[in-house]
Every structure is written in structure tokens, then in C-alpha cells.
mmCIF file of all heavy atoms in Angstrom:
data_model
loop_
_atom_site.group_PDB
_atom_site.id
_atom_site.type_symbol
_atom_site.label_atom_id
_atom_site.label_comp_id
_atom_site.label_asym_id
_atom_site.label_seq_id
_atom_site.Cartn_x
_atom_site.Cartn_y
_atom_site.Cartn_z
ATOM 1 N N GLY A 29 -11.349 83.454 15.886
ATOM 2 C CA GLY A 29 -10.458 84.491 15.462
ATOM 3 C C GLY A 29 -9.025 84.060 15.178
ATOM 4 O O GLY A 29 -8.252 84.808 14.665
ATOM 5 N N GLU A 30 -8.702 82.821 15.490
ATOM 6 C CA GLU A 30 -7.336 82.367 15.296
ATOM 7 C C GLU A 30 -7.291 81.126 14.407
ATOM 8 O O GLU A 30 -8.108 80.187 14.621
ATOM 9 C CB GLU A 30 -6.736 82.021 16.666
ATOM 10 C CG GLU A 30 -5.313 81.511 16.583
ATOM 11 C CD GLU A 30 -4.818 81.209 17.998
ATOM 12 O OE1 GLU A 30 -4.815 82.106 18.854
ATOM 13 O OE2 GLU A 30 -4.409 80.062 18.227
ATOM 14 N N ALA A 31 -6.378 81.083 13.475
ATOM 15 C CA ALA A 31 -6.196 79.921 12.638
ATOM 16 C C ALA A 31 -5.523 78.830 13.470
ATOM 17 O O ALA A 31 -4.529 79.116 14.171
ATOM 18 C CB ALA A 31 -5.379 80.244 11.442
ATOM 19 N N SER A 32 -6.060 77.643 13.475
ATOM 20 C CA SER A 32 -5.457 76.575 14.265
ATOM 21 C C SER A 32 -4.565 75.699 13.363
ATOM 22 O O SER A 32 -4.796 75.546 12.194
ATOM 23 C CB SER A 32 -6.535 75.732 14.922
ATOM 24 O OG SER A 32 -7.356 75.160 13.953
ATOM 25 N N ASP A 33 -3.526 75.197 13.974
ATOM 26 C CA ASP A 33 -2.623 74.292 13.254
ATOM 27 C C ASP A 33 -3.260 72.945 13.113
ATOM 28 O O ASP A 33 -4.054 72.537 13.950
ATOM 29 C CB ASP A 33 -1.276 74.171 14.045
ATOM 30 C CG ASP A 33 -0.524 75.492 14.061
ATOM 31 O OD1 ASP A 33 -0.632 76.247 13.094
ATOM 32 O OD2 ASP A 33 0.160 75.747 15.081
ATOM 33 N N PRO A 34 -2.913 72.209 12.058
ATOM 34 C CA PRO A 34 -3.437 70.840 11.925
ATOM 35 C C PRO A 34 -2.931 69.967 13.065
ATOM 36 O O PRO A 34 -1.843 70.219 13.598
ATOM 37 C CB PRO A 34 -2.947 70.384 10.545
ATOM 38 C CG PRO A 34 -1.778 71.248 10.212
ATOM 39 C CD PRO A 34 -2.018 72.544 10.923
ATOM 40 N N PRO A 35 -3.714 68.987 13.481
ATOM 41 C CA PRO A 35 -3.295 68.151 14.582
ATOM 42 C C PRO A 35 -2.042 67.406 14.257
ATOM 43 O O PRO A 35 -1.835 66.990 13.081
ATOM 44 C CB PRO A 35 -4.488 67.212 14.804
ATOM 45 C CG PRO A 35 -5.267 67.282 13.551
ATOM 46 C CD PRO A 35 -5.001 68.589 12.908
ATOM 47 N N ALA A 36 -1.190 67.255 15.249
ATOM 48 C CA ALA A 36 0.071 66.530 15.011
ATOM 49 C C ALA A 36 -0.232 65.062 14.850
ATOM 50 O O ALA A 36 -1.161 64.512 15.441
ATOM 51 C CB ALA A 36 0.972 66.712 16.240
ATOM 52 N N PRO A 37 0.535 64.358 13.972
ATOM 53 C CA PRO A 37 0.325 62.909 13.786
ATOM 54 C C PRO A 37 0.567 62.165 15.075
ATOM 55 O O PRO A 37 1.422 62.514 15.839
ATOM 56 C CB PRO A 37 1.323 62.546 12.695
ATOM 57 C CG PRO A 37 2.269 63.683 12.569
ATOM 58 C CD PRO A 37 1.659 64.890 13.197
ATOM 59 N N ALA A 38 -0.269 61.156 15.312
ATOM 60 C CA ALA A 38 -0.118 60.355 16.523
ATOM 61 C C ALA A 38 1.184 59.578 16.467
ATOM 62 O O ALA A 38 1.496 58.951 15.477
ATOM 63 C CB ALA A 38 -1.306 59.409 16.655
ATOM 64 N N ALA A 39 1.880 59.624 17.557
ATOM 65 C CA ALA A 39 3.212 58.936 17.640
ATOM 66 C C ALA A 39 2.998 57.445 17.571
ATOM 67 O O ALA A 39 2.149 56.880 18.263
ATOM 68 C CB ALA A 39 3.910 59.332 18.904
ATOM 69 N N GLY A 40 3.748 56.778 16.738
ATOM 70 C CA GLY A 40 3.706 55.315 16.654
ATOM 71 C C GLY A 40 2.630 54.744 15.756
ATOM 72 O O GLY A 40 2.558 53.519 15.661
ATOM 73 N N LEU A 41 1.716 55.567 15.204
ATOM 74 C CA LEU A 41 0.652 55.020 14.377
ATOM 75 C C LEU A 41 1.057 55.112 12.901
ATOM 76 O O LEU A 41 1.705 56.077 12.508
ATOM 77 C CB LEU A 41 -0.630 55.831 14.556
ATOM 78 C CG LEU A 41 -1.377 55.656 15.857
ATOM 79 C CD1 LEU A 41 -2.593 56.563 15.924
ATOM 80 C CD2 LEU A 41 -1.816 54.211 16.048
ATOM 81 N N PRO A 42 0.718 54.116 12.114
ATOM 82 C CA PRO A 42 0.998 54.185 10.695
ATOM 83 C C PRO A 42 0.100 55.250 10.037
ATOM 84 O O PRO A 42 -0.889 55.683 10.620
ATOM 85 C CB PRO A 42 0.648 52.795 10.187
ATOM 86 C CG PRO A 42 -0.252 52.188 11.195
ATOM 87 C CD PRO A 42 0.048 52.856 12.511
ATOM 88 N N PRO A 43 0.428 55.664 8.802
ATOM 89 C CA PRO A 43 -0.421 56.645 8.096
ATOM 90 C C PRO A 43 -1.824 56.118 7.989
ATOM 91 O O PRO A 43 -2.092 54.926 7.943
ATOM 92 C CB PRO A 43 0.269 56.760 6.712
ATOM 93 C CG PRO A 43 1.629 56.197 6.869
ATOM 94 C CD PRO A 43 1.583 55.239 8.019
ATOM 95 N N PRO A 44 -2.818 57.072 7.892
ATOM 96 C CA PRO A 44 -4.246 56.644 7.843
ATOM 97 C C PRO A 44 -4.519 55.638 6.723
ATOM 98 O O PRO A 44 -5.319 54.745 6.945
ATOM 99 C CB PRO A 44 -4.952 57.981 7.563
ATOM 100 C CG PRO A 44 -4.072 59.003 8.137
ATOM 101 C CD PRO A 44 -2.672 58.529 7.927
ATOM 102 N N ALA A 45 -3.902 55.757 5.588
ATOM 103 C CA ALA A 45 -4.189 54.842 4.485
ATOM 104 C C ALA A 45 -3.771 53.433 4.775
ATOM 105 O O ALA A 45 -4.274 52.453 4.225
ATOM 106 C CB ALA A 45 -3.472 55.327 3.206
ATOM 107 N N GLU A 46 -2.838 53.265 5.714
ATOM 108 C CA GLU A 46 -2.346 51.929 6.048
ATOM 109 C C GLU A 46 -3.011 51.342 7.275
ATOM 110 O O GLU A 46 -2.746 50.197 7.676
ATOM 111 C CB GLU A 46 -0.817 51.998 6.257
ATOM 112 C CG GLU A 46 -0.061 52.314 5.015
ATOM 113 C CD GLU A 46 1.424 52.437 5.274
ATOM 114 O OE1 GLU A 46 1.879 52.051 6.352
ATOM 115 O OE2 GLU A 46 2.112 52.937 4.384
ATOM 116 N N ARG A 47 -3.848 52.105 7.976
ATOM 117 C CA ARG A 47 -4.469 51.633 9.205
ATOM 118 C C ARG A 47 -5.595 50.653 9.006
ATOM 119 O O ARG A 47 -5.937 49.855 9.851
ATOM 120 C CB ARG A 47 -5.013 52.817 10.007
ATOM 121 C CG ARG A 47 -3.933 53.677 10.573
ATOM 122 C CD ARG A 47 -4.545 54.761 11.419
ATOM 123 N NE ARG A 47 -3.603 55.879 11.499
ATOM 124 C CZ ARG A 47 -3.902 57.053 11.869
ATOM 125 N NH1 ARG A 47 -5.145 57.358 12.215
ATOM 126 N NH2 ARG A 47 -2.993 57.976 11.910
ATOM 127 N N GLY A 48 -6.283 50.696 7.865
ATOM 128 C CA GLY A 48 -7.423 49.803 7.662
ATOM 129 C C GLY A 48 -8.373 50.373 6.651
ATOM 130 O O GLY A 48 -8.060 51.359 5.985
ATOM 131 N N ALA A 49 -9.541 49.802 6.564
ATOM 132 C CA ALA A 49 -10.551 50.228 5.607
ATOM 133 C C ALA A 49 -11.949 50.218 6.268
ATOM 134 O O ALA A 49 -12.141 49.462 7.207
ATOM 135 C CB ALA A 49 -10.546 49.283 4.394
ATOM 136 N N THR A 50 -12.759 51.061 5.766
ATOM 137 C CA THR A 50 -14.160 51.054 6.216
ATOM 138 C C THR A 50 -14.932 50.094 5.347
ATOM 139 O O THR A 50 -14.890 50.191 4.139
ATOM 140 C CB THR A 50 -14.798 52.458 6.099
ATOM 141 O OG1 THR A 50 -14.004 53.354 6.863
ATOM 142 C CG2 THR A 50 -16.207 52.493 6.536
ATOM 143 N N VAL A 51 -15.594 49.132 5.968
ATOM 144 C CA VAL A 51 -16.342 48.117 5.223
ATOM 145 C C VAL A 51 -17.836 48.313 5.519
ATOM 146 O O VAL A 51 -18.232 48.351 6.679
ATOM 147 C CB VAL A 51 -15.912 46.719 5.633
ATOM 148 C CG1 VAL A 51 -16.742 45.672 4.922
ATOM 149 C CG2 VAL A 51 -14.449 46.527 5.360
ATOM 150 N N ILE A 52 -18.618 48.470 4.480
ATOM 151 C CA ILE A 52 -20.053 48.608 4.630
ATOM 152 C C ILE A 52 -20.688 47.294 4.162
ATOM 153 O O ILE A 52 -20.553 46.893 3.014
ATOM 154 C CB ILE A 52 -20.630 49.773 3.777
ATOM 155 C CG1 ILE A 52 -19.912 51.059 4.136
ATOM 156 C CG2 ILE A 52 -22.126 49.890 4.003
ATOM 157 C CD1 ILE A 52 -20.255 52.228 3.269
ATOM 158 N N PRO A 53 -21.338 46.560 5.079
ATOM 159 C CA PRO A 53 -21.907 45.275 4.727
ATOM 160 C C PRO A 53 -22.963 45.365 3.628
ATOM 161 O O PRO A 53 -23.651 46.386 3.528
ATOM 162 C CB PRO A 53 -22.489 44.737 5.997
ATOM 163 C CG PRO A 53 -21.884 45.550 7.094
ATOM 164 C CD PRO A 53 -21.518 46.881 6.476
ATOM 165 N N ASP A 54 -23.103 44.302 2.867
ATOM 166 C CA ASP A 54 -24.130 44.245 1.808
ATOM 167 C C ASP A 54 -25.518 44.610 2.323
ATOM 168 O O ASP A 54 -26.288 45.292 1.690
ATOM 169 C CB ASP A 54 -24.203 42.857 1.164
ATOM 170 C CG ASP A 54 -22.911 42.456 0.432
ATOM 171 O OD1 ASP A 54 -21.989 43.277 0.421
ATOM 172 O OD2 ASP A 54 -22.894 41.340 -0.058
ATOM 173 N N ARG A 55 -25.832 44.117 3.503
ATOM 174 C CA ARG A 55 -27.160 44.310 4.072
ATOM 175 C C ARG A 55 -27.452 45.802 4.339
ATOM 176 O O ARG A 55 -28.560 46.266 4.117
ATOM 177 C CB ARG A 55 -27.264 43.530 5.383
ATOM 178 C CG ARG A 55 -28.662 43.292 5.822
ATOM 179 C CD ARG A 55 -28.712 42.299 6.946
ATOM 180 N NE ARG A 55 -29.219 42.996 8.108
ATOM 181 C CZ ARG A 55 -29.203 42.527 9.326
ATOM 182 N NH1 ARG A 55 -28.657 41.378 9.558
ATOM 183 N NH2 ARG A 55 -29.729 43.206 10.321
ATOM 184 N N MET A 56 -26.414 46.523 4.761
ATOM 185 C CA MET A 56 -26.626 47.966 5.006
ATOM 186 C C MET A 56 -26.774 48.739 3.729
ATOM 187 O O MET A 56 -27.588 49.663 3.617
ATOM 188 C CB MET A 56 -25.441 48.537 5.813
ATOM 189 C CG MET A 56 -25.397 48.088 7.262
ATOM 190 S SD MET A 56 -26.859 48.618 8.178
ATOM 191 C CE MET A 56 -27.805 47.089 8.228
ATOM 192 N N VAL A 57 -25.991 48.362 2.709
ATOM 193 C CA VAL A 57 -26.120 49.033 1.400
ATOM 194 C C VAL A 57 -27.519 48.729 0.856
ATOM 195 O O VAL A 57 -28.165 49.614 0.258
ATOM 196 C CB VAL A 57 -25.047 48.540 0.445
ATOM 197 C CG1 VAL A 57 -25.240 49.146 -0.971
ATOM 198 C CG2 VAL A 57 -23.631 48.893 0.985
#
């Protein structure tokens, strides 16, 4: 029944785009 606010950014962490990448190995693909 209540709209929730988006989670606050974690203190001290870089933006998600700068944190890393998801790598899917060739074998899994």
C-alpha cells in the first residue's frame, strides 16, 4: 500500500557502471 523510496547509494562505493563487469565464459555460452 505504500510507495517505497529507491535505496540510498552505498557510501564510499563508485557508481555501478564503474564497479566492474559481468563476464560469461565461452564454455557457459
Side-chain angles (χ1 to χ4, degrees):
E30 179 180 303
S32 60
D33 293 328
L41 288 177
E46 295 176 11
R47 290 184 204 163
T50 301
V51 177
I52 304 173
D54 294 0
R55 199 169 116 191
M56 289 298 102
V57 176

